[in-house]
Amino acid sequence: MDPHLLRTFVTVAETGSFSAAAERLGYTQSAISQQVAALETDLGLPLLHRRPVTPTEAGLRLLEHAGPLLLRIRAARADVLRTAALPAHRLTLAATPLALNSVLAVRLAAARAAQPRLRVTVRTCGRDEVARQVADGTAEASLADGITAPNDPLRLPDVGPLTTVGVAEEGLVVALPGDHPLAGRTGLRLADLVDAHWLQTTLCPLERLRDLLGDGFRPALDYTGDDVHTVLNLVAAGHGLTLLPASAASGVPLVSPRLVHRVELLHGSLPPGPAADLAARLSP
């Protein structure tokens, strides 16, 4: 299967239009039609309905595979190019919203102080995206965070051969309103909060808590952003509870089960230079 044709098919499916796909990819509409037709001939199945332009059942199935396939191709290209990359004084660090905690911010400052000419761009995005950005070469390194048992690795998408190193772990607190009946406790058990109202956030996905303790953890409100101050304002107003790393918020320490907020550094092969030095300084 030609990846060039696959990318064209995905673009048509995403835009819902041959002309829009042609504009995005820089081809004529006729060329786009020919590429999709060539892919359909190769597979022996129609992939798109033409009026309106929507995926067929076979097209939907192919779309499920297309994203990971195209990502692995980009990852392979980026991995090969990294082996010949010349040292540079600019690099991009992708990070999930809570990954760059105070400890790692200090390590980043030390790395920059050791390399005065180094210019670092920090880009915030979701956990799956930080892995993809390193895999396809958009970022030289990334920091991902999540809730795990002590010393357990994070669950990250398989995007290719990446090095993953645990760089920080800290305790979790239950963030709750100041007038909440449990606010004065010295510690809380997650099992006692199964029936409480929770915030559903990207910072603390409730699916992770259900994985640990089963049913419960009903969302009282969904917040799709990643701003910690907004989450704390929602908590303070009584919209629900959430778990946060101790360095990000005040709250009652979680004492059971034993869980931590873990941060991992992800990178591909790094030739000697600023990126490799930064990775070394961010590691414990």
Side-chain angles (χ1 to χ4, degrees):
M1 187 184 304
D2 187 332
H4 177 69
L5 301 181
L6 183 60
R7 181 171 69 107
T8 298
F9 161 68
V10 170
T11 305
V12 174
E14 287 177 346
T15 60
S17 165
F18 283 82
S19 59
E23 183 176 352
R24 179 185 293 185
L25 296 175
Y27 292 109
T28 65
Q29 183 173 336
S30 175
I32 293 294
S33 297
Q34 291 173 14
Q35 291 173 28
V36 171
L39 183 60
E40 290 177 324
T41 299
D42 178 31
L43 294 174
L45 290 168
L47 300 173
L48 292 169
H49 300 294
R50 267 37 179 196
R51 295 183 181 177
V53 177
T54 57
T56 63
E57 184 176 349
L60 289 172
R61 185 63 60 85
L62 181 58
L63 285 172
E64 293 177 6
H65 296 280
L69 285 171
L70 293 173
L71 175 61
R72 292 301 293 265
I73 291 170
R74 295 196 303 272
R77 175 182 174 83
D79 197 41
V80 171
L81 292 177
R82 273 193 290 262
T83 64
L86 296 175
H89 291 282
R90 293 182 180 220
L91 61 84
T92 297
L93 177 68
T96 48
L98 291 175
L100 202 56
N101 59 26
S102 56
V103 172
L104 292 174
V106 170
R107 292 181 195 169
L108 178 60
R112 295 181 61 233
Q115 303 179 71
R117 293 177 57 197
L118 180 63
R119 180 174 177 179
V120 179
T121 298
V122 177
R123 181 183 297 130
T124 302
C125 47
R127 186 180 302 131
D128 289 357
E129 184 62 20
V130 295
R132 292 190 187 100
Q133 289 198 16
V134 174
D136 67 16
T138 306
E140 283 74 26
S142 70
L143 293 168
D145 77 293
I147 297 173
T148 70
N151 300 314
D152 275 3
L154 297 177
R155 299 177 182 178
L156 297 171
D158 179 13
V159 294
L162 296 180
T163 298
T164 304
V165 182
V167 293
E169 284 188 358
E170 64 175 313
L172 292 160
V173 297
V174 181
L176 35 70
D179 59 355
H180 195 281
L182 300 177
R185 297 284 187 90
T186 57
L188 286 172
R189 299 169 63 245
L190 200 54
D192 295 334
L193 302 172
V194 168
D195 294 325
H197 288 172
W198 287 78
L199 288 178
Q200 171 69 292
T201 74
T202 57
L203 305 180
C204 177
L206 297 184
E207 307 87 72
R208 181 68 180 120
L209 304 188
R210 295 189 196 103
D211 287 345
L212 295 165
L213 292 178
D215 294 336
F217 303 103
R218 296 168 296 169
L221 182 145
D222 287 0
Y223 171 60
T224 59
D226 55 22
D227 181 71
V228 179
H229 293 294
T230 299
V231 169
L232 292 176
N233 286 338
L234 292 171
V235 169
H239 292 288
L241 312 182
T242 192
L243 291 180
L244 289 170
S247 62
S250 59
V252 180
L254 180 71
V255 295
S256 176
R258 289 192 63 209
L259 297 174
V260 295
H261 176 256
R262 179 177 172 88
V263 181
E264 293 181 354
L265 173 70
L266 287 69
H267 62 81
S269 55
L270 295 177
D277 293 342
L278 175 67
R281 289 182 178 272
L282 288 177
S283 301

